[in-house]
């Protein structure tokens, strides 16, 4: 079973890949509190979709997990699972533990 720390590492790696494409003065902070979506996020919608896709692919290739992070369950929540790295990590944990 995947751990929260392993999921964080996967999300951090996806953010680092986005940073590699950004100017040095336009880097995204990488932490659990990093805003991914909503007011104050430094990601545009295309970058958010790219991040989610990168995380899904990494979870599949590195951990053998077949998860869809952009589905009706995510969209129907009162609080978006894409708000921060922490909320995304928690959502992935929920999906992988069958909660």
């Amino acid at each position: 079973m995947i751990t929260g720390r392993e999921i964080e590492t996967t999300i951090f790696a996806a953010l680092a890949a986005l940073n590699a494409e950004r100017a040095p003065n336009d880097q995204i902070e990488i932490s659990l509190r990093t805003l991914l979506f909503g007011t104050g996020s430094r990601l545009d919608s295309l970058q958010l979709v790219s991040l989610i896709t990168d995380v899904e692919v990494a979870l599949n290739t590195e951990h053998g997990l077949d998860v869809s992070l952009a589905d009706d369950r995510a969209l129907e929540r009162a609080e978006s699972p894409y708000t921060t790295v922490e909320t995304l990590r928690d959502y992935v944990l929920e999906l992988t533990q069958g909660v």
Side-chain angles (χ1 to χ4, degrees):
M1 183 175 296
I2 194 166
T3 66
R5 184 68 187 129
E6 290 170 317
I7 296 167
E8 289 168 19
T9 300
T10 299
I11 298 169
F12 290 166
L15 284 169
L18 284 176
N19 272 341
E21 299 173 3
R22 298 170 76 102
N25 62 345
D26 193 30
Q27 297 292 293
I28 300 166
E29 174 194 358
I30 299 178
S31 76
L32 287 176
R33 292 184 294 267
T34 299
L35 292 173
L36 303 176
F37 177 73
T39 304
S41 172
R42 305 222 16 242
L43 299 176
D44 62 27
S45 58
L46 185 58
Q47 290 168 330
L48 178 62
V49 170
S50 177
L51 175 78
I52 291 168
T53 302
D54 289 350
V55 170
E56 287 175 342
V57 169
L59 290 171
N60 186 274
T61 58
E62 297 169 14
H63 300 282
L65 298 171
D66 187 21
V67 295
S68 176
L69 301 178
D71 61 9
D72 290 339
R73 289 178 289 187
L75 300 176
E76 292 171 351
R77 292 173 167 261
E79 181 183 358
S80 171
Y82 316 123
T83 304
T84 66
V85 169
E86 184 175 28
T87 60
L88 182 56
R89 178 207 59 201
D90 292 347
Y91 184 61
V92 173
L93 272 174
E94 182 179 315
L95 291 177
T96 60
Q97 295 176 358
V99 174

